[in-house]
């Protein structure tokens, strides 16, 4: 209820904010989305640009982002098959909020770290 509007949460249906943040707030999703921002990429290009992600984790992350409508996976009928990934309109619409979140985290990380250390010392 951040915008002042009451929303009914039906039993069996997750909270929309928690549901979305759980998916995009994992260790890799923001990196994958940022990597796809410039345009179409193949799996190996994404893997190379991120660097320290395993093939299995990249595959799982791409599959989840595709299921959620952020990423489009396109298989070209070639030998060997060529698979490309790109952001969907939904994925593109998330880039500005993602950048704002990244900027906020960068600007406030030192304060958060200091607060954690202070709380741990108490």
């Amino acid at each position: 209820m951040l915008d002042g509007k009451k929303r009914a949460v039906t039993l069996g249906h997750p909270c929309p904010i928690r549901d979305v943040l759980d998916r995009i707030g994992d260790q890799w999703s923001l990196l994958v989305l940022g990597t796809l921002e410039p345009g179409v990429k193949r799996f190996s290009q994404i893997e190379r640009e991120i660097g320290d992600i395993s093939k299995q984790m990249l595959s799982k992350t791409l599959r989840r982002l595709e299921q959620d409508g952020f990423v489009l996976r396109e298989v070209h009928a070639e030998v060997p098959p060529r698979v490309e990934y790109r952001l969907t309109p939904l994925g593109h619409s998330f880039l500005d909020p993602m950048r704002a979140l990244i900027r906020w985290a960068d600007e406030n990380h030192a304060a958060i770290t200091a607060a954690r250390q202070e709380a741990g010392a108490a």
Side-chain angles (χ1 to χ4, degrees):
M1 192 171 90
L2 294 175
D3 60 5
K5 297 178 186 174
K6 289 186 179 181
R7 292 188 178 91
V9 177
T10 309
L11 291 178
H13 294 278
C15 167
I17 295 168
R18 227 180 334 204
D19 183 45
V20 172
L21 289 179
D22 282 348
R23 295 299 284 250
I24 60 161
D26 65 21
Q27 183 176 358
W28 301 107
S29 291
L30 294 180
L31 289 170
V32 171
L33 292 169
T35 300
L36 289 172
E37 181 176 2
V40 178
K41 300 221 169 134
R42 295 177 73 171
F43 186 93
S44 59
Q45 291 174 290
I46 301 167
E47 182 184 28
R48 209 171 21 255
E49 287 185 33
I50 293 176
D52 59 348
I53 188 170
S54 70
K55 285 179 176 25
Q56 181 181 3
M57 184 53 68
L58 178 56
S59 180
K60 179 181 178 181
T61 302
L62 284 165
R63 190 169 36 255
R64 287 179 65 171
L65 290 170
E66 182 183 11
Q67 289 169 347
D68 287 347
F70 287 94
V71 171
L72 176 67
R73 178 180 185 263
E74 188 173 0
V75 180
H76 298 275
E78 300 173 356
V79 178
R82 179 170 48 102
V83 181
E84 295 177 328
Y85 297 89
R86 74 184 79 227
L87 293 178
T88 62
L90 180 66
H92 279 285
S93 76
F94 181 65
L95 293 176
D96 283 339
M98 182 179 85
R99 282 190 215 91
L101 177 61
I102 291 168
R103 186 174 40 257
W104 183 89
D106 282 343
E107 292 169 357
N108 293 283
H109 187 253
I112 293 167
T113 302
R116 285 179 188 159
Q117 289 174 347
E118 186 177 314

